[in-house]
Amino acid sequence: GQQVMQIPQYQHVQEGEDFTTYCNSSTTLSNIQWYKQRPGGHPVFLIQLVKSGEVKKQKRLTFQFGEAKKNSSLHITATQTTDVGTYFCAGIGGAQKLVFGQGTRLTINP
Amino acid sequence: DGGITQSPKYLFRKEGQNVTLSCEQNLNHDAMYWYRQDPGQGLRLIYYSQIVNDFQKGDIAEGYSVSREKKESFPLTVTSAQKNPTAFYLCASSIWGYEQYFGPGTRLTVT
């Protein structure tokens, strides 16, 4: 079945450093979604990418969808303590079912 | 105020007891989902329902049961057959194929 792998599993940075998490699917995706879960909270939808090669920005966050629609990345520029949390990618494949990656847990040293 | 509610926030049970977790949404979404999250882990799909009176097993359905008698409600029963029931349970809803909206979750502890 469809699998979505996310790396790294954990990332610790100094405040102000950049952060990137990568997502890879075993199959071509129709779209990919990104979610953020704050410590002790629940996942909150950030963005959806649909087109091959698509790039979207939300302030310091940049999301990319690969040309082959099998990989994606989230890049945060100049991290702030409010960025702490776990970032999940989730892809929709042929079965139209959303499959979540394992998540990347970001911690920040102020 | 639209959203998804889950109750209770914390739940404690003795081993061997069945327990039902509540999930209600007023977003008028057809699709609803149950996920399990263990410490430091991702989200694993237990059951999902695309429409009222229909539901499908997810990746880890063994030891769980659901019902979908109303569009707004998708309760999850954790049965005594579930070997490791202690976890954080998240309910979500969506328009099928679109972003999911999650409830605040229920932390179940079974001793």
Side-chain angles (χ1 to χ4, degrees):
Chain A
Q2 179 187 339
Q3 290 188 328
V4 176
M5 307 300 292
Q6 204 173 339
I7 56 169
Q9 191 174 359
Y10 302 97
Q11 184 79 59
H12 180 76
V13 300
Q14 290 289 127
E15 188 175 14
E17 291 182 339
D18 292 357
F19 159 77
T20 305
T21 173
Y22 300 90
C23 186
N24 291 287
S25 170
S26 58
T27 59
T28 301
L29 302 169
S30 59
N31 65 55
I32 195 154
Q33 300 173 8
W34 285 91
Y35 294 78
K36 177 183 178 180
Q37 184 177 23
R38 294 183 186 274
H42 58 276
V44 174
F45 173 76
L46 294 176
I47 207 162
Q48 176 169 282
L49 304 172
V50 179
K51 299 177 185 176
S52 169
E54 189 170 14
V55 178
K56 286 190 176 180
K57 294 191 176 187
Q58 287 180 349
K59 297 183 181 177
R60 294 176 296 102
L61 278 61
T62 302
F63 304 84
Q64 292 188 317
F65 200 10
E67 294 290 340
K69 300 185 77 173
K70 295 180 74 172
N71 57 73
S72 181
S73 65
L74 158 60
H75 179 82
I76 302 178
T77 303
T79 55
Q80 300 175 357
T81 54
T82 52
D83 296 325
V84 164
T86 300
Y87 292 85
F88 293 98
C89 64
I92 294 184
Q96 287 299 303
K97 197 171 70 173
L98 194 64
V99 176
F100 280 83
Q102 293 293 91
T104 295
R105 184 178 172 192
L106 173 63
T107 54
I108 298 173
N109 204 21
Chain B
D1 190 21
I4 301 182
T5 56
Q6 289 185 246
S7 60
K9 189 170 183 179
Y10 298 95
L11 191 54
F12 298 88
R13 281 291 184 270
K14 293 289 185 185
E15 198 173 306
Q17 294 179 333
N18 289 356
V19 59
T20 297
L21 310 185
S22 165
C23 178
E24 303 278 332
Q25 56 101 358
N26 61 6
L27 299 170
N28 200 33
H29 288 157
D30 282 318
M32 295 188 75
Y33 315 80
W34 274 104
Y35 294 92
R36 171 182 171 137
Q37 187 173 38
D38 294 284
Q41 301 297 312
L43 304 174
R44 292 188 289 171
L45 183 64
I46 305 172
Y47 269 98
Y48 65 99
S49 167
Q50 290 182 258
I51 200 164
V52 175
N53 293 320
D54 185 51
F55 50 83
Q56 306 294 329
K57 290 182 180 180
D59 302 317
I60 56 164
E62 186 175 348
Y64 299 98
S65 65
V66 293
S67 62
R68 187 86 188 277
E69 296 175 1
K70 297 188 299 182
K71 187 175 186 176
E72 302 80 19
S73 179
F74 191 39
L76 172 74
T77 297
V78 185
T79 75
S80 56
Q82 169 50 233
K83 301 252 185 280
N84 298 296
T86 295
F88 185 42
Y89 291 89
L90 287 158
C91 178
S93 73
S94 78
I95 297 170
W96 183 252
Y98 288 81
E99 69 269 23
Q100 296 186 9
Y101 293 80
F102 286 82
T106 292
R107 293 192 184 275
L108 173 65
T109 302
V110 177
T111 57

